[in-house]
Amino acid sequence: MDDETHGCDALLAEIDAFYQGFGHSAALTSAFRDAVVLVPLTDDERIPTSAVVGIDWVCAFTSEYEYARYLVARGEGSEVRKYHAVLGRRIVDDLIPTLQAPTGVVVDPCGAAPMAFPPAAEDVA
């Protein structure tokens, strides 16, 4: 596993393909499910969500650099923050079904190529 991207090379390649206009949603989703991403943890060891226009989002990061970039953008760059490395599939299969509000995942939200995986349409309606 690549130390810098925590095994996210396939996910990053699929995101790049999407930005170039020839990505495939099934391949992108599969790459996310197989990637080991970093997720922030609260002081009580929970994965936080951020609400945007009535939809909650779990932020996931492909590297410590991307997580640090996010913290700096939020004005939290000087604080030490905990995170956990987790397979994308654990977020989708284990975490999101336990949440009450429609929840999606956004990868590298402050990065050069953020990617959102919104909740299913029937969950939002």
Side-chain angles (χ1 to χ4, degrees), residues 5-123:
T5 60
H6 293 274
C8 291
D9 293 338
L11 173 59
L12 291 168
E14 288 300 328
I15 290 172
D16 183 55
F18 236 81
Y19 272 87
Q20 292 185 39
F22 57 87
H24 298 281
S25 59
L28 178 63
T29 300
S30 178
F32 173 73
R33 291 177 61 79
D34 292 342
V36 176
V37 293
L38 306 178
V39 291
L41 293 175
T42 62
D43 290 338
D44 61 348
E45 303 292 319
R46 294 178 183 261
I47 297 172
T49 59
S50 299
V52 178
V53 192
I55 298 176
D56 286 348
W57 296 90
V58 172
C59 294
F61 303 92
T62 57
S63 68
E64 290 175 341
Y65 174 81
E66 292 295 343
Y67 183 39
R69 194 175 189 170
Y70 170 80
L71 292 173
V72 168
R74 292 176 50 99
E76 301 173 17
S78 62
E79 301 175 30
V80 174
R81 295 291 182 168
K82 295 188 284 185
Y83 63 86
H84 185 65
V86 62
L87 279 169
R89 76 178 68 249
R90 296 277 320 272
I91 297 170
V92 174
D93 297 341
D94 299 336
L95 173 66
I96 289 178
T98 68
L99 303 174
Q100 294 181 352
T103 304
V105 179
V106 62
V107 176
D108 295 341
C110 292
M115 181 57 63
F117 297 87
E122 61 269 10
D123 294 341

